Structure formats: C-alpha cells, structure tokens
C-alpha cells in the first residue's frame, strides 16, 4: 500500500496539469506538483507544504477563491470554473499579474467518506485566453470594417499582385464590368485616356503616402464618368506590403452641380448687369409721345451702345414722337461721346422720333466747338425745362382744332 501511494504520488507530481492537495478546513498544502508551483507561485516562496492557502497566496483575498474552497469543503459539491481571472504575485515583489485558469475544486474524502480536504485540478489557459481575445477583437474589427466597406457610398477595392481581389457593391455598381471587375487589373476599368495616368501613378507613387488623382472610368452603357481615386498600401504585421487599396468617388453629380451653379451664377450676373444698365440709362415717359433719358457719369463705347439700344427700344414701345437726352450729369464729353449722341439721334429719327439734347453747359459747348463736332439735325436746349416746353409745344402743333358746337 505504501508502494502504491508512492507511485500514485509520483504520478501526480509528474502530471502536466496543475495539481494540489489540501487538508482541513484551513486548506493546508499537502502536495503541489511542479506545474502548480511554476504557474501559481512562480518565483515566490516555493516551500509551501504545511502552509495554508491564505499564507501562501494572500494576494487572492477578495477575489472569491477562499470562499469557493470553503464552500466545497463544507458541502462536498464539486466546483468547475472556466477561464477565471486570478491576480497573482508570481514575482514575489508585490506586483500582481493577471493569469487565467480553468479550475476543478473536488472534495477529498477519507475512508469513512468524510471530507478531509480538497483536490485542486487546474490548467493555466492564459495564452489560449489572450489569443482567443485577440482573435475576437480582430474578428470584430474585420466585421466592422467589412460592414463599413459593403455599405460605403464610395467605391472600395483591394488589389493583390496587380489584380482586384475585393470590390464593394458601390464600386461594382460604378464600373462597366460590374461583378466581373474582381480578378482584373485596375487599369482595364479606366478609359483609354486615364491608363497612362494610372500607370504613372503606380510607378511613381510612394508606399508611405497615398496617391490621389482624377481618373475617367468606363461605366455601363458605354459612357464614362469622372472619379477621384485615392490609392494606398496595406501592410502586414511585419511591415511588408500585403495589398493596395483604392477608394473611388464618383464626381458626376458634383460636376453637374458645379455646372448648374455656374449657369445660375451667369444668370444672376446677367440679371445684375441688366439692372445696372436700366438704372444707368433710365427712359422715363413724361407724357403721351414724350420720353426723357437723363444721362449720368462717364460714357464709353459699351455704354454708348447701351444708350442707343435703350432709347430705340423705348421710343418704339412708347411710340414717342420726341425724346429728350439730358446730359447735365455727364462728367466728360469728347468726340466719341458727341458722335455717339449724334448717331443715337440719327437712329431715332429713322423711327420717326425727334431727339432734343439738353443740359449742355458752357464748358461742354466750348469743347464741342473746339472739337468741331457736327450735331447735324440734333436739336439742343439749355435746360431740361426748356426742352420739355419745346417738346410739349411740338405735341400741340398740328393737333386738330375742336369743332364749335352749333346753337
């Protein structure tokens, strides 16, 4: 029996699992094999036989293990725990290290079936637990990024050894090849004029920085669309280049919006210019058949053309017989200005409208004489009031005399 006990003890000590035997309600160490000492005690005091669990591992107080051992000793119920965290002082310096174990706490019974101690069978699963946690984190990241890529509005591809191995739904919906783009080189998806740009980018792009540029892609229906592409390297754990990623944004809607915005800006600018022209060359109807145009500021060739257009359109619309041009507010008069006024009057005469020029001061009169400007048939008056009086007098000329009523 002694030999059998010794052989059994030797077998327990040689087992790779963590084995410890405890005696009594204080859980005094009776046996602990080498794997238990290496994993649980570490570099601390390994002379633990005859000492209680509270003496050998005081750092686990408050972690619930004393209570578990007490419960198993009192009830005889086996306890099984998987991947339980334990904070241990394995260095013997007071610094706690977290390890993970799978435990079996079993009641040790005597010959009369009474509980005399505990048997602890455990396995240090720290490496496996941490590896599993890392895998779970990676799977979570992969799942998250895959969901982002699958639902992204921009096109996303992964290229390995020059061929696309992954293309998200947005990219497959953009390009002409659709689902067949997987397995093809990226250069086959762009229009002919962009292949040289793409080849140059692939040849000169730095592996440290992303390349961004404009490319034209073929789309379904035989057309093309402009795209903003961003290409970047994907590295492995060792820092080597594993793949090349591409993010593509379709700029069709953006270009259309820009064109619409430019067109709207042109319309607003044109309307603004029309408003300025109307304000700078107003045509005011004073009476039936009589209009006046006060001129202000400086007259150049563009504004002279505008004055003529406004006056001709106005007299035609108003059926004016007389039009008064008031040049009181003009800052500078030269040959070009005078000739423009004469041409405007001649054009109005062709429409049956007489033009009266008013507001000529002494300085302007002297300049016109010095320049030798021929005003032709253009009528002149010194003030606007005299021009209006002249025009109203002309309106009454030739008007039919009312018939006298008979008695």
């Amino acid at each position: 029996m002694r030999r059998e006990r010794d052989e059994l003890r030797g077998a327990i000590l040689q087992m790779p699992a963590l084995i410890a035997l405890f005696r009594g309600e204080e859980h005094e160490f009776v046996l602990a094999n080498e794997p238990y000492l290496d994993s649980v005690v570490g570099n601390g005091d390994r002379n633990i036989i005859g000492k209680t669990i509270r003496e050998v591992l005081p750092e686990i107080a408050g972690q619930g293990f004393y209570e578990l051992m007490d419960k198993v000793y009192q009830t005889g119920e086996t306890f099984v725990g998987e991947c339980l965290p334990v904070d241990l002082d394995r260095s013997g310096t007071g610094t706690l290290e977290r390890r993970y174990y799978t435990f079996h706490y079993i009641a040790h019974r005597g010959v009369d079936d009474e509980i005399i101690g505990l048997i602890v069978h455990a396995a240090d699963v720290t490496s496996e637990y941490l590896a599993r946690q890392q895998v779970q984190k990676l799977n979570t990241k992969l799942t998250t990024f895959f969901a982002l890529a699958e639902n992204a509005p921009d096109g996303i591809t992964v290229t390995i050894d020059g061929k696309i191995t992954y293309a998200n739904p947005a990219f497959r919906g953009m390009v002409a090849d659709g689902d067949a783009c997987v397995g093809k080189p990226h250069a086959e998806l762009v229009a002919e004029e962009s292949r040289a740009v793409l080849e140059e980018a692939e040849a000169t792009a730095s592996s440290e920085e992303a390349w961004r540029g404009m490319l034209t892609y073929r789309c379904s229906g035989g057309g093309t669309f402009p795209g903003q592409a961003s290409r970047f390297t994907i590295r492995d754990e060792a820092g080597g280049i594993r793949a090349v990623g591409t993010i593509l944004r379709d700029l069709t809607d953006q270009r259309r919006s820009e064109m619409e915005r430019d067109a709207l800006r042109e319309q607003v600018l044109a309307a603004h210019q029309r408003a300025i022209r109307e304000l700078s060359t107003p045509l005011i109807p004073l009476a039936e058949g009589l209009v006046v145009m006060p001129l202000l500021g400086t007259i150049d060739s563009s504004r002279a053309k505008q004055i003529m257009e406004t006056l001709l359109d106005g007299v035609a619309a108003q059926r004016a017989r007389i039009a008064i041009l008031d040049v009181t507010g003009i800052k500078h008069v030269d040959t070009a200005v005078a000739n423009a006024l004469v041409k405007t009057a001649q054009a109005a005469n062709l429409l049956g409208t007489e033009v009266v020029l008013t507001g000529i001061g002494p300085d302007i009169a002297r300049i016109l004489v010095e320049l030798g400007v021929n005003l032709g048939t253009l009528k002149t008056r010194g003030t606007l009031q005299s021009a209006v009086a002249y025009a109203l007098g002309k309106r009454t000329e030739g008007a039919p005399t009312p018939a006298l009523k008979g008695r």
Side-chain angles (χ1 to χ4, degrees):
M1 292 179 62
R2 185 180 297 111
R3 185 176 68 252
E4 290 178 355
R5 286 198 300 270
D6 292 341
E7 290 176 351
L8 179 60
R9 179 185 180 87
I12 292 174
L13 293 175
Q14 296 176 42
M15 292 181 64
L18 282 60
I19 303 293
L21 298 180
F22 297 89
R23 180 190 303 126
E25 60 183 9
E26 295 298 325
H27 314 306
E28 177 184 312
F29 277 96
V30 175
L31 178 146
N33 67 352
E34 198 67 23
Y36 185 95
L37 294 174
D38 290 340
S39 178
V40 178
V41 180
N43 296 327
D45 184 8
R46 298 167 70 94
N47 186 19
I48 64 175
I49 303 303
K51 297 179 181 179
T52 66
I53 186 70
R54 289 174 172 81
E55 293 173 328
V56 175
L57 301 174
E59 66 269 22
I60 67 173
Q63 299 185 43
F65 295 101
Y66 297 158
E67 293 78 7
L68 283 174
M69 297 176 73
D70 291 342
K71 182 178 180 181
V72 174
Y73 182 83
Q74 294 167 4
T75 64
E77 297 178 358
T78 299
F79 170 79
V80 178
E82 295 184 358
C83 295
L84 297 180
V86 186
D87 294 327
L88 297 170
D89 180 16
R90 300 175 69 246
S91 63
T93 61
T95 301
L96 297 182
E97 175 188 354
R98 173 152 292 188
R99 308 289 293 181
Y100 294 87
Y101 295 90
T102 294
F103 285 107
H104 290 80
Y105 287 170
I106 305 169
H108 183 201
R109 299 179 181 274
V111 294
D112 296 328
D113 201 36
E114 75 279 14
I115 299 176
I116 61 175
L118 296 178
I119 302 172
V120 175
H121 173 272
D124 187 340
V125 294
T126 302
S127 299
E128 295 83 348
Y129 177 82
L130 295 178
R132 186 164 61 249
Q133 290 292 105
Q134 186 67 21
V135 170
Q136 290 176 353
K137 290 180 180 179
L138 290 175
N139 286 337
T140 300
K141 286 184 178 180
L142 289 174
T143 302
T144 301
F145 284 115
F146 183 75
L148 289 173
E150 287 290 293
N151 294 278
D154 292 337
I156 300 174
T157 65
V158 176
T159 303
I160 299 178
D161 296 331
K163 294 184 178 181
I164 296 174
T165 58
Y166 168 77
N168 71 339
F171 186 88
R172 298 197 301 269
M174 291 179 184
V175 298
D177 298 71
D179 295 342
C181 69
V182 177
K184 293 185 176 181
H186 205 96
E188 293 186 8
L189 308 179
V190 300
E192 187 67 31
E193 61 269 21
S194 290
R195 291 186 180 179
V197 178
L198 184 59
E199 291 173 358
E200 182 180 357
E202 292 175 346
T204 60
S206 170
S207 60
E208 303 299 328
E209 297 181 359
W211 176 87
R212 293 179 178 85
M214 303 298 298
L215 298 172
T216 302
Y217 285 79
R218 295 183 296 105
C219 62
S220 58
T224 60
F225 69 91
Q228 182 182 46
S230 176
R231 293 171 61 84
F232 53 91
T233 57
I234 302 172
R235 298 186 178 275
D236 56 23
E237 293 79 2
I241 298 178
R242 173 183 293 173
V244 175
T246 301
I247 299 176
L248 175 65
R249 175 163 295 179
D250 186 348
L251 299 182
T252 302
D253 293 339
Q254 180 178 331
R255 292 285 178 84
R256 183 183 301 112
S257 298
E258 291 175 354
M259 293 176 63
E260 292 174 352
R261 187 165 56 249
D262 291 342
L264 179 61
R265 183 165 56 248
E266 292 295 330
Q267 293 175 6
V268 172
L269 181 59
H272 182 63
Q273 291 175 344
R274 285 196 301 271
I276 292 177
R277 287 196 300 269
E278 292 173 359
L279 291 174
S280 61
T281 55
L283 188 66
I284 304 170
L286 292 183
E288 183 179 355
L290 174 61
V291 294
V292 62
M293 177 182 284
L295 301 178
L296 303 173
T298 302
I299 298 178
D300 53 15
S301 60
S302 175
R303 192 173 177 207
K305 180 180 179 183
Q306 174 188 336
I307 291 171
M308 181 181 292
E309 292 176 354
T310 302
L311 181 64
L312 296 181
D313 291 342
V315 297
Q318 298 289 337
R319 296 182 180 179
R321 294 174 55 200
I322 301 177
I324 300 175
L325 289 179
D326 184 8
V327 297
T328 305
I330 294 181
K331 296 180 179 180
H332 177 70
V333 174
D334 56 15
T335 306
V337 173
N339 289 334
L341 294 176
V342 172
K343 289 182 179 180
T344 300
Q346 292 173 346
N349 289 336
L350 294 176
L351 296 179
T353 302
E354 179 183 357
V355 177
V356 180
L357 185 64
T358 184
I360 297 178
D363 294 337
I364 296 178
R366 185 173 60 256
I367 293 173
L368 293 176
V369 171
E370 292 174 354
L371 294 175
V373 176
N374 182 14
L375 298 180
T377 60
L378 185 64
K379 298 291 191 298
T380 61
R381 290 293 184 272
T383 64
L384 178 61
Q385 291 85 347
S386 61
V388 171
Y390 168 78
L392 292 177
K394 291 286 290 183
R395 289 176 65 249
T396 58
E397 291 181 5
T401 302
L404 296 176
K405 294 183 179 180
R407 294 184 179 180

